[in-house]
Amino acid sequence: AQSVTQLGSHVSVSEGALVLLRCNYSSSVPPYLFWYVQYPNQGLQLLLKYTTGATLVKGINGFEAEFKKSETSFHLTKPSAHMSDAAEYFCAVSDGPYDKIIFGKGTRLHILP
Amino acid sequence: GAGVSQSPSNKVTEKGKDVELRCDPISGHTALYWYRQSLGQGLEFLIYFQGNSAPDKSGLPSDRFSAERTGGSVSTLTIQRTQQEDSAVYLCASSLGGEQYFGPGTRLTVT
């Protein structure tokens, strides 16, 4: 069965510092992996996705993530945090293009001035 | 173009009443999904439609929950005899395969 574990329900970083949000997954088949962002009182927006091919995936707003099969990880990074990055971030896994998405519990990112 | 829309945006109902939640997917998207988001359970999959068929209903929590999709477009999620634990944000998403595009959700409060 698929599952996603996000380490840290809350993460705080200073403005301008590196953002690192950790995600580990389990899947019985080659996974499709996603990061979604949810701003306060808004819907889910896709940041980036990995399906096949290049393991370093670039997304919107300067975020990127690297698929590491050996570590079953898909950590999200951004070199320099902005105040506008404050939101909740969800890592997710799917078995294929039409399969349901299994979400992690989410990590709330706080940006300190 | 227009995104996924859901109605109503908010619904307050009394325990025991039935509710219907509506989802209008992006035009042409063949796949439609329902999820719910609650404080205790996070984001949970409920049901998946491909066209008008539902090949995966594994997430429906009880037989009080049902959904249908007509004309390969609009979908309705029905909750019968609502309970307080049904309070959550119900999210709909649509897809052509690959990325799922989410609607803004319906916040259901059962009093």
Side-chain angles (χ1 to χ4, degrees):
Chain A
Q2 302 157 301
S3 67
V4 176
T5 301
Q6 291 184 242
L7 296 177
S9 58
H10 292 265
V11 169
S12 296
V13 301
S14 298
E15 190 174 18
L18 171 72
V19 175
L20 170 61
L21 303 183
R22 299 179 186 273
C23 172
N24 289 88
Y25 71 91
S26 68
S27 178
S28 57
V29 299
Y32 283 44
L33 295 162
F34 309 86
W35 276 98
Y36 281 85
V37 62
Q38 188 172 38
Y39 298 100
N41 299 314
Q42 293 190 29
L44 285 166
Q45 181 181 7
L46 182 69
L47 271 180
L48 49 81
K49 65 180 178 183
Y50 169 80
T51 54
T52 59
T55 56
L56 182 62
V57 181
K58 295 186 185 298
I60 61 172
N61 301 338
F63 285 93
E64 63 183 35
E66 187 171 10
F67 169 57
K68 291 188 176 180
K69 183 179 179 180
S70 61
E71 299 177 8
T72 60
S73 69
F74 192 57
H75 302 329
L76 182 71
T77 60
K78 181 174 180 177
S80 177
H82 295 166
M83 295 301 291
S84 60
D85 295 328
E88 189 152 22
Y89 293 79
F90 294 91
C91 182
V93 66
S94 172
D95 273 351
Y98 285 103
D99 285 298
K100 63 190 176 193
I101 291 179
I102 303 300
F103 289 89
K105 295 292 188 185
T107 296
R108 186 165 296 278
L109 178 63
H110 304 272
I111 310 297
L112 307 174
Chain B
V4 177
S5 61
Q6 294 185 244
S7 60
S9 55
N10 281 283
K11 176 72 177 179
V12 180
T13 191
E14 293 180 352
K15 178 181 172 181
K17 301 282 191 183
D18 298 352
V19 295
E20 286 189 350
L21 312 180
R22 177 187 169 105
C23 172
D24 281 273
I26 294 172
S27 178
H29 280 196
T30 57
L32 185 148
Y33 308 79
W34 283 98
Y35 297 85
R36 73 176 175 181
Q37 185 174 24
S38 59
L39 278 176
Q41 301 300 321
L43 273 156
E44 303 172 281
F45 165 78
L46 296 177
I47 186 170
Y48 154 54
F49 287 93
Q50 183 61 254
N52 292 336
S53 301
D56 189 350
K57 305 180 184 180
S58 62
L60 294 178
S62 76
D63 58 8
R64 296 186 297 105
F65 287 72
S66 63
E68 65 175 12
R69 189 178 185 196
T70 55
S73 182
V74 171
S75 176
T76 303
L77 177 70
T78 302
I79 308 173
Q80 295 179 309
R81 305 181 302 281
T82 51
Q83 303 295 312
Q84 287 189 329
E85 61 263 28
D86 300 334
S87 295
V89 176
Y90 289 81
L91 297 168
C92 175
S94 71
S95 171
L96 265 179
E99 178 177 351
Q100 293 183 22
Y101 294 83
F102 283 80
T106 294
R107 182 176 297 277
L108 175 66
T109 303
V110 181
T111 61

